[in-house]
Amino acid sequence: MPVLDQQLIPVFDEVVTRNPGENEFHQAVHEVLESLGPVVAKHPEYADGEVIRRLCEPERQIIFRVPWVDDAGKVRLNRGFRVEFNSALGPYKGGLRFHPSVYLGIVKFLGFEQIFKNALTGLSIGGGKGGSDFDPKGRSDAEVMRFCQSFMTELYRHIGEYTDVPAGDIGVGGREIGYLFGQYKRITNRYESGVLTGKGLDWGGSQVRTEATGYGTVYFVNDMLTAVGDSFDGKTAVVSGSGNVAIYAIEKVHQLGGRVIACSDSNGYVVEENGIDLDLLKEVKEVRRGRLVDYAQARGSGAHYSATGSIWSVPCQIALPCATQNELDEADAAALASNGCLVVAEGANMPTTPEAIDVLRAANVRFAPGKAANAGGVATSALEMQQNASRDSWSFEHAEERLEKIMRAIHDRCLETADEYGATGDYVLGANISGFTQVADTMLALGII
Ligand code: NDP
Ligand code: 2IT
């Protein structure tokens, strides 16, 4: 891991001391602080680290009990979280994650990343994140509904279209957003569409929100390729995960002339040299809520399924980690580099370990951090809020055009900032510095907040 600027070491030490055991949060903070050395050197207004210290402390953290009753009549208990990290630029905005691994450290890392990501979109949204250690896998629709209703019975008092606007993340898609919105509407007696994003198209959702994160990541990679006179045409790609982000990343790679030859879930990965059959993958994952092994079985001999080993051992030119944090480690990065990979772009949040990023850097593999590459999801959420506020609804073409432009603006902003700081082509530095300066300058303008 790169060392921190002398002035920033006490800031990081304080984060570790004040937030014991929250390793993912420490990792996310360290990654941003690593980029800020040249910024504190150049800008005396940040020099004592004071605004940076405030930025690392969430404005508000809510932890609550979520009791619910399963189909057998047994009372179950989960823990709910909402971390309202920073509202300098707009209402707190960020997803809800339902996964057994969720604890405060995960929610804080995601909320922290979200602050800078949301700034990069150029839209007026602050940063927040929430979720629960509830595992929706294997639960009936009725159980998921009862859980969501109980979760919202506490969450509703903390959110609102001008306050905090949650959306989906791992384990939270259209079904969960529907149950959450229904309960919010019931409790408040308000049809406040802008309180949640990722809604269904018949009740305030935006065209392209479902596709936005995956599409946006691939648009970003396309811009990275264009910047060096290259394109997707004929390139092979590997996409980890097979959820919302992965599926629409695969779709856009195929639309742009590339071929995705492998994808995964938490049980294994499938390799298909002729390209993943997206219609079947959508049917298995989105309609039947099945497993990747079901997809592989349905494909027969053309698909090779593996329950062991790493998907990153599959040779490819473009690698898109779209599953979860720290899923691509040092050995994976070394395998990708030695197999001739050109670009790694994060569809997921923090999927690449710091050691893996070092390996990619040393091997000159171009790397796009999630806070830039996967910002299309939250950007389109902000477009959904915009449509809700004006009681309008846009066509698919219009929403997609907006998304494509936003991703290009983020891409260019990262490169321009990297240039300004003498780090040409460094998307990590560009994204961190550009997001940070916008939020920090706003915090300074608003007084001691
Ligand atoms: P989904 O729940 O739709 O899909 C998640 C996928 O990742 C599944 O294939 C899942 O496999 C796999 N996965 C999840 N946890 C693990 C784990 N611990 N180990 C291995 N595989 C795992 O989530 P999304 O596609 O929405 O989210 C994927 C990533 O993208 C996350 O990092 C999320 O934070 C990020 N993201 C999402 C956005 C969105 O709009 N949805 C926006 C920006 C970023 P399995 O089914 O076996 O669990
Ligand atoms: O990580 C993310 O950016 C998301 N899960 C999407 C957040 C949102 O508010 O759409």
Side-chain angles (χ1 to χ4, degrees), residues 35 56 98 146 153 302:
S35 298
C56 293
F98 293 169
R146 288 194 294 272
T153 299

Side-chain angles (χ1 to χ4, degrees), residues 93-95 114 117 129 165 167-169 197 209 349 374 377-378 381:
K93 183 83 196 86
Q114 200 84 45
K117 182 195 306 192
K129 200 83 186 191
V165 183
D169 194 81
T197 60
R209 177 60 190 88
N349 287 309
N374 73 37
V378 75
S381 277

